[in-house]
Amino acid sequence: MKRIGVTGHRGIPPEAYAHIRAGMHAVLRGHDGSMEALSSLAAGADQLFADIALACGAELTVVIPSGDYEDGFTAPGELARYQRLRSRATREVQLAFPYSTDEAYYAAGAYIADNCDRLLAVWDGRPARGYGGTADIVSYARDLGKPVTVIWRDGLERHWI
């Protein structure tokens, strides 16, 4: 089974969605046989990836960083989408952090990088705003020698959430 993980920004400019969606489809459709998609289902890149992976027939593994993770979904529809995707997961990994901290987010990203064959990163190439951000997980995966596919539209500024 091919295992593809995701890391990415929560704030994706609307004008980037078509490009990012096409890039994800290209990566996920490019594999023959069974596939496992690993995601924390954060708003933005993680949820988009999970939607596309499920549509491509992948089994979804959800990595939940902390016991209070659902409390972080505050924008309209985010929590409902998270819960819908979570209910479709084949497997769930609950990390032992009681609270959503930078360390919990880093640990979830590291878990995904450790357990995938390829990491897909929706990343603008800029440094992380805090410990455990997309840049940190890309660096961690590359240090492991994992192939990383970066999807971003050149010249586009992301929204900071």
Side-chain angles (χ1 to χ4, degrees):
M1 176 176 285
K2 184 74 172 178
R3 296 167 300 159
I4 302 175
V6 69
T7 188
H9 302 310
R10 288 178 48 206
I12 299 173
E15 60 273 23
Y17 264 92
H19 177 81
I20 291 168
R21 183 176 282 113
M24 287 182 175
H25 272 289
V27 170
L28 293 167
R29 284 188 182 153
H31 297 285
D32 293 329
S34 60
M35 182 173 38
E36 178 184 3
L38 294 93
S39 172
S40 290
L41 299 182
D46 285 20
Q47 289 185 359
L48 179 61
F49 170 80
D51 269 334
I52 293 169
L54 287 166
C56 289
E59 293 182 7
L60 178 62
T61 295
V62 177
V63 181
I64 301 172
S66 62
D68 71 344
Y69 189 54
E70 287 190 3
D71 295 345
F73 293 93
T74 56
E78 281 182 357
L79 180 59
R81 189 170 184 204
Y82 165 81
Q83 290 171 334
R84 178 184 56 79
L85 290 166
R86 183 177 176 189
S87 74
R88 295 185 62 199
T90 303
R91 191 166 75 103
E92 188 171 293
V93 176
Q94 173 76 52
L95 300 186
F97 294 87
Y99 303 108
S100 293
T101 62
D102 289 349
E103 289 76 19
Y105 296 140
Y106 185 89
Y111 181 93
I112 289 170
D114 287 339
N115 289 280
C116 71
D117 301 310
R118 170 175 298 283
L119 185 70
L120 193 154
V122 177
W123 180 44
D124 63 2
R126 294 173 59 188
R129 283 192 317 153
Y131 182 67
T134 304
D136 293 335
I137 303 308
V138 167
S139 178
Y140 178 83
R142 286 177 172 163
D143 286 348
L144 291 175
K146 300 280 177 146
V148 176
T149 300
V150 176
I151 300 174
W152 195 256
R153 215 173 86 199
D154 289 338
L156 193 61
E157 292 290 323
R158 73 176 149 131
H159 299 163
W160 291 91
I161 293 178

